Each structure stands twice: as C-alpha cells, then as structure tokens.
Amino acid sequence: MSHLSETELNALKHQLALERQQLRGDIRDELLRNDEEKYGELAGQVHDAGDESMADLLADINTAVLSKSIKELREVEAAQERIRENSYGVCEDCSVEIPYQRLEAYPTARRCVECQEKHEKMFAGEGKPTL
C-alpha cells in the first residue's frame, strides 16, 4: 500500500465503509420486502398457469437482486480485509500496484487493468445461462 498516500487511503476506506453501509441497508430492505410479498402464497392462490409463472418470475428476480447485493457486499468486505492486511491496492495476479484512479473509481478492484482484462477474457463464459 505504500503507493497510496494516507489521504488517498482514508478516502478509499471511507468510500468502502459507505458502500458497505448502503449494501447492508439494501439487503435488509430486500429481505423485508421479500418477506412481506410472500410470492409462494401468491403462487398457491392462483389458478392460472400464467399467474403462477409471473409469481415465480417475481420471486426469482428478487432472489437475483438479493444475490447481487450480497456478492457486492462480500467484495467490499474483502477489500476492507486487504486494507487491514496491507495488501490493498496490489494486483492479485501480477503484484503491480493498482493506480489510485482505478481504486477511486472501483474501490474493490483486485487486479490492475491489464490483468482484469485477461481475467475477463479467460472467464467470459462463466455464469451465463445456457439452454
């Protein structure tokens, strides 16, 4: 972390803390909303296959939103852990220092731009749904 000034590091810590707080609130709100909407009950009450499909779709969308928020929260917490371990701001693949401008724009960055591009090309097909 030596390439980051104390001011830069504090700004990034603050940005991560705010993002963590926002994500935790989003997750809490989404869980409360899911509990209130009870799509399972709605699906059991409908007599039309289209209505049941819609209830299932809405439940799946809410689950996907929640999963995305949880993944982002884990990334933020991993970045905070790297700060504590003094490994924050160093590319996981090539050990090059990640520029402050990249960290400012994407504070959870684990890789430098070059290694991130390679990583994305290598794993481009992962996580995409197929039939």
Side-chain angles (χ1 to χ4, degrees):
M1 280 192 310
S2 61
H3 73 291
L4 298 174
S5 71
E6 189 173 333
T7 303
E8 291 172 334
L9 185 58
N10 286 335
L12 292 167
K13 284 180 182 179
H14 181 70
Q15 188 175 348
L16 286 165
L18 289 176
E19 192 169 340
R20 181 177 185 269
Q21 182 180 6
Q22 178 66 45
L23 286 166
R24 288 174 58 97
D26 291 348
I27 291 168
R28 182 190 63 244
D29 294 346
E30 187 66 29
L31 287 171
L32 290 172
R33 191 171 68 230
N34 282 349
D35 191 43
E36 290 172 2
E37 291 174 348
K38 300 178 183 175
Y39 293 113
E41 290 178 17
L42 176 63
Q45 294 173 1
V46 297
H47 303 286
D48 180 280
D51 290 340
E52 186 173 345
S53 293
M54 181 58 73
D56 288 343
L57 175 65
L58 291 172
D60 290 345
I61 289 171
N62 285 341
T63 300
V65 169
L66 186 60
S67 293
K68 180 181 181 291
S69 295
I70 290 171
K71 181 179 183 244
E72 290 174 4
L73 178 61
R74 287 181 179 155
E75 290 174 5
V76 168
E77 290 175 342
Q80 291 174 320
E81 181 65 24
R82 290 192 303 276
I83 289 172
R84 287 189 290 277
E85 294 175 348
N86 294 322
S87 61
Y88 181 75
V90 177
C91 178
E92 290 183 353
D93 294 344
C94 70
S95 300
V96 167
E97 293 175 343
I98 301 171
Y100 174 71
Q101 292 78 9
R102 174 162 169 69
L103 293 170
E104 185 179 36
Y106 184 54
T108 58
R110 295 175 176 263
R111 296 175 184 85
C112 66
V113 172
E114 288 180 16
C115 289
Q116 184 64 38
E117 288 173 351
K118 290 177 191 174
H119 179 80
E120 288 174 5
K121 286 178 184 175
M122 185 177 294
F123 299 101
E126 286 189 6
K128 292 185 179 178
T130 61
L131 293 178

